[in-house]
Amino acid sequence: MKNNYHHTKITKIDEHNEDYRSFTLDTILDSKAGQFVMVCLPGVDEKPFSLSAPNRITVKKVGPFTEKFFEKKEGDSLGIRGPYGNGFPSSYLNTAIGGGCGIAPLMHLVSGGSTPQVTKFVLAGKTKSELLFLEDITKALENNRSYEKTEIITVTDDGSHGTKGVASDLVLPKSEHNYFICGPEVMMQKVAEKLVATEVDPSKIFLSLERYMKCAVGLCGNCLVSGYRVCADGPVFGYDTVKDLRHFNKYERTRTGELVKK
Amino acid sequence: MPKLKLDIPLVNGCGIGSYLDLFELMEKKGACFGGYIPKSIGPFSDSEALRKKFGWEREKQGNPNPTVISTGAVELNSMALPSHPVEGWRGELAQTTLNVPIIVSIWGKEPEDYLRIADMVKQYFSALQINISCPNKQEGERSVMEEMTSQVEAIVKPVRDNVDLPLIVKLSPNEDYLAVANVVMPYVDYLCCGNTLGPGLVIDIHSKKPVLAGKDGGMSGAAIKPKTMKMVNDVYEAAKESDVGVWASGGIRNWEDIIEYAIAGASTFELGTEVFSKKAADGRLVGRPTDEVVQVTKDIWEGTQQYLRQNNTTLDNLVGSLEK
């Protein structure tokens, strides 16, 4: 039996830019794209992070915990439990749409193995340096042996790479793909709405939600989105499930459990 | 004394699931829960006047993560009652669409807090569970268990006199529960056995620090069931001459556990760790998706009813039928 909690060494650190780093681990986690792990810095705290590969965590510096995380060096260790959650479905042809840090879990889709297949990849960010893994994703799609032509689309707020604008400005041609979206909730909602407007069935659109996570194993309820526990029912949800939920893109629970506006 | 009417004698354990929106989803999906218990409501208020009057604060953060850990053999938590204002709870309770009874659990820092909080939310619940048994604490605190067990009479008596609804006291397996049961029996309708066991300690051998940020934590899951079984039977024996009923809360996984607890003396059953989480194929503890939780409650209740039919008996007849 595997340990529920174990230590793993950091073997490599990649700096994407000032705010984003990827930590490669000496443990390959049996995981699906979209699943997450709880990373513990003993004596500090423990937070959820998505995997950008079965042995890699990508972190955005947003507060005290991630600042401490960024002090970690190659050879240091992290406390890990997981992976948890459902991950993206194993469908054959898919379009991935990632914004900023949300590109990380979608990177897992093209980091090895053959399913699910991503033939179209949209990377969005404020600026060019937020288009995480652009080179790796380009290479992975070039090597894709799908019968379908592959395509990478980039979009930046400042126009420093690809189209100037935001992901929801794009009009994607209608397809039979599943759409995997990951990014800020407001961005995911806008992109999903745009897809629905081009007659994509909401049940073919999948979003990855994030909430304040405590137990990560379905018990405490802190990560609820209108009754759905993100850790146990998600983090990946069909848009048909979440689109009409009262809490979706509107409410979240703080560390005390209080329901507050997002 | 008023009795609580539950169509199905299964409820969630307090602190499991915690919030009304989860219970509403469970009900919508057809879960076999006859009532729901939100997370324990504590002495916290949005109102500055109330905070001043009662010496309350606005909220309690609880321990940092990790707050839950599984050893593979038992689960531990050191949440330490993270709490938000009673007014927030009132808002959620007022809006709920639940059609089954809500049992509100309350904890306090002072004996008086229990009635104060009960008065603020009593229009929304069908029964009140008094929490004097949570063993978890933040650094520099005493746990509710340590603080309130010895003051239980001062808590329960005024609540009994002022709240005309069924009262349940949730006992701790870590204290002299028979002594507490004897003190509170004249005032309560039910005794719930029990809360998490311990606390226990899990050490991170790499950092040599406790894994749980709260250092130690109460233990739950199937491993604690025999201890809770003994507690149910002891309390049943102590209470059987009265009309005080016994609730079982500890490690229930299936209908056989319900039957076993009924034989020991319990008539209402709280489902928690083993129902809302599960072991993955590789043995790790993971969350159990909602549809599966719903199915487990159906299996438990259908299995229980089938047993009763096959044995031509009722749950009432089975309660306390342990042969010694």
Side-chain angles (χ1 to χ4, degrees):
Chain A
M1 191 188 71
K2 284 197 183 169
N3 279 335
N4 284 276
Y5 174 89
H6 56 94
H7 269 267
T8 181
K9 266 207 170 71
I10 298 165
T11 55
K12 188 163 155 271
I13 299 174
D14 292 303
E15 267 193 64
H16 301 280
N17 62 40
E18 203 180 310
D19 294 331
Y20 291 88
R21 277 182 202 176
S22 285
F23 298 82
T24 302
L25 313 173
D26 70 352
T27 311
I28 294 172
L29 296 155
D30 184 6
S31 57
K32 280 177 76 177
Q35 286 190 305
F36 67 95
V37 291
M38 295 297 283
V39 176
C40 178
L41 306 179
V44 184
D45 206 336
E46 183 199 44
K47 300 273 184 194
F49 292 92
S50 54
L51 295 162
S52 54
N55 63 339
R56 188 176 58 207
I57 298 162
T58 299
V59 181
K60 181 183 184 183
K61 191 163 73 175
V62 291
F65 182 83
T66 44
E67 273 164 28
K68 284 272 179 209
F69 204 145
F70 272 35
E71 288 172 15
K72 291 282 172 190
K73 304 271 175 276
E74 286 173 12
D76 288 348
S77 85
L78 302 168
I80 294 258
R81 56 191 183 99
Y84 295 123
N86 53 0
F88 289 101
S90 305
S91 45
Y92 187 60
L93 289 173
N94 308 288
T95 297
I97 305 165
C101 215
I103 297 167
L106 300 170
M107 175 63 208
H108 190 299
L109 290 163
V110 297
S111 66
S114 57
T115 53
Q117 235 7 311
V118 177
T119 52
K120 189 170 289 193
F121 212 122
V122 178
L123 292 89
K126 287 195 183 73
T127 184
K128 190 187 166 188
S129 71
E130 275 198 3
L131 305 177
L132 308 181
F133 302 109
L134 179 58
E135 276 176 37
D136 303 273
I137 291 167
T138 307
K139 213 174 287 171
L141 262 65
E142 275 167 10
N143 294 334
N144 189 313
R145 281 179 305 219
S146 161
Y147 62 82
E148 219 184 64
K149 192 174 163 290
T150 60
E151 187 181 6
I152 290 181
I153 301 166
T154 58
V155 50
T156 49
D157 292 7
D158 61 3
S160 55
H161 199 283
T163 310
K164 185 171 193 248
V166 293
S168 56
D169 293 341
L170 299 171
V171 181
L172 298 169
K174 196 168 183 282
S175 77
E176 291 306 306
H177 284 195
N178 275 339
Y179 293 82
F180 300 158
I181 314 174
C182 193
E185 215 155 300
V186 58
M187 166 263 188
M188 292 192 289
Q189 188 180 33
K190 282 185 175 159
V191 172
E193 277 307 312
K194 189 82 174 226
L195 289 168
V196 171
T198 56
E199 291 176 1
V200 175
D201 187 329
S203 69
K204 301 192 77 149
I205 303 170
F206 296 87
L207 321 180
S208 178
L209 303 190
E210 194 176 358
R211 286 294 184 276
Y212 196 104
M213 195 69 69
K214 284 196 167 180
C215 77
V217 291
L219 299 174
C220 72
N222 210 97
C223 64
L224 283 169
V225 177
S226 290
Y228 291 94
R229 289 160 296 153
V230 168
C231 67
D233 294 313
V236 176
F237 292 89
Y239 189 55
D240 54 338
T241 301
V242 298
K243 67 184 174 66
D244 298 322
L245 296 180
R246 195 171 80 92
H247 295 178
F248 174 58
N249 197 26
K250 294 215 171 57
Y251 292 92
E252 61 188 346
R253 292 189 184 275
T254 66
R255 186 176 149 183
T256 65
E258 184 171 15
L259 190 64
V260 297
K261 283 218 161 74
K262 263 178 91 76
Chain B
M1 282 189 190
K3 282 284 175 187
L4 178 63
K5 296 266 186 299
L6 300 175
D7 287 343
I8 299 170
L10 307 178
V11 297
N12 66 295
C14 180
I16 300 287
S18 302
Y19 304 101
L20 280 304
D21 52 315
L22 178 135
F23 306 146
E24 286 160 12
L25 183 66
M26 294 271 167
E27 183 175 70
K28 193 172 128 197
K29 287 178 175 280
C32 285
F33 280 119
Y36 291 99
I37 314 179
K39 189 174 77 167
S40 247
I41 302 177
F44 301 91
S45 177
D46 265 330
S47 151
E48 214 166 300
L50 278 190
R51 293 205 292 264
K52 210 164 177 188
K53 190 172 165 194
F54 298 147
W56 288 4
E57 290 169 88
R58 188 186 180 274
E59 61 186 22
K60 181 178 192 290
Q61 293 288 308
N63 278 315
N65 281 345
T67 41
V68 170
I69 192 75
S70 171
T71 65
V74 75
E75 285 65 54
L76 296 91
N77 92 80
S78 66
M79 290 285 174
L81 297 165
S83 298
H84 62 277
V86 179
E87 292 83 357
W89 280 109
R90 268 181 21 192
E92 288 195 52
L93 287 161
Q95 282 178 23
T96 186
T97 56
L98 277 179
N99 291 305
V100 296
I102 296 170
I103 300 133
V104 160
S105 168
I106 291 176
W107 71 277
K109 291 182 181 172
E110 306 288 339
E112 297 78 13
D113 288 340
Y114 290 81
L115 180 56
R116 290 168 179 160
I117 298 167
D119 275 336
M120 292 171 74
V121 292
K122 64 184 171 194
Q123 65 267 46
Y124 303 115
F125 61 79
S126 304
L128 184 59
Q129 193 175 82
I130 304 273
N131 177 358
I132 52 158
S133 48
C134 179
N136 301 323
K137 60 193 165 200
Q138 286 171 243
E139 207 161 359
E141 277 182 352
R142 271 158 62 84
S143 69
V144 167
M145 177 184 85
E146 292 165 303
E147 197 67 50
M148 289 300 155
T149 301
S150 59
Q151 306 190 67
V152 66
E153 196 167 12
I155 296 167
V156 175
K157 199 172 177 302
V159 173
R160 171 84 289 163
D161 291 343
N162 290 283
V163 180
D164 192 26
L165 288 165
L167 286 189
I168 307 129
V169 166
K170 187 152 180 151
L171 300 170
S172 167
N174 315 312
E175 296 277 321
D176 184 348
Y177 53 78
L178 279 178
V180 178
N182 284 322
V183 169
V184 300
M185 224 158 340
Y187 310 107
V188 302
D189 307 285
Y190 303 97
L191 291 165
C192 178
C193 307
N195 209 310
T196 51
L197 185 65
L201 175 66
V202 181
I203 298 167
D204 175 350
I205 58 169
H206 184 92
S207 66
K208 296 186 179 168
K209 291 186 168 112
V211 173
L212 293 170
K215 313 274 189 286
D216 51 29
M219 296 182 281
S220 65
I224 74 162
K225 197 188 78 180
K227 171 68 185 174
T228 314
M229 194 66 67
K230 170 86 172 115
M231 189 179 171
V232 164
N233 191 240
D234 288 348
V235 171
Y236 171 78
E237 287 295 328
K240 70 179 177 188
E241 302 305 325
S242 71
D243 63 354
V244 173
V246 181
W247 290 26
S249 176
I252 295 173
R253 277 187 293 194
N254 49 36
W255 66 265
E256 289 93 333
D257 293 338
I258 302 289
I259 301 301
E260 190 180 351
Y261 269 128
I263 294 168
S267 50
T268 304
F269 312 89
E270 293 188 0
L271 309 182
T273 306
E274 297 289 342
V275 173
F276 285 77
S277 64
K278 64 176 181 178
K279 296 283 162 52
D282 61 9
R284 287 178 309 109
L285 190 78
V286 296
R288 196 192 288 275
T290 299
D291 289 337
E292 273 186 46
V293 174
V294 168
Q295 190 56 47
V296 171
T297 66
K298 285 179 180 173
D299 293 345
I300 289 175
W301 184 231
E302 277 163 24
T304 302
Q305 288 174 301
Q306 195 175 356
Y307 172 92
L308 296 174
R309 275 197 305 274
Q310 281 170 355
N311 291 276
N312 200 21
T313 187
T314 62
L315 204 55
D316 284 347
N317 281 334
L318 205 61
V319 171
S321 59
L322 177 67
E323 294 179 17
K324 291 188 177 167

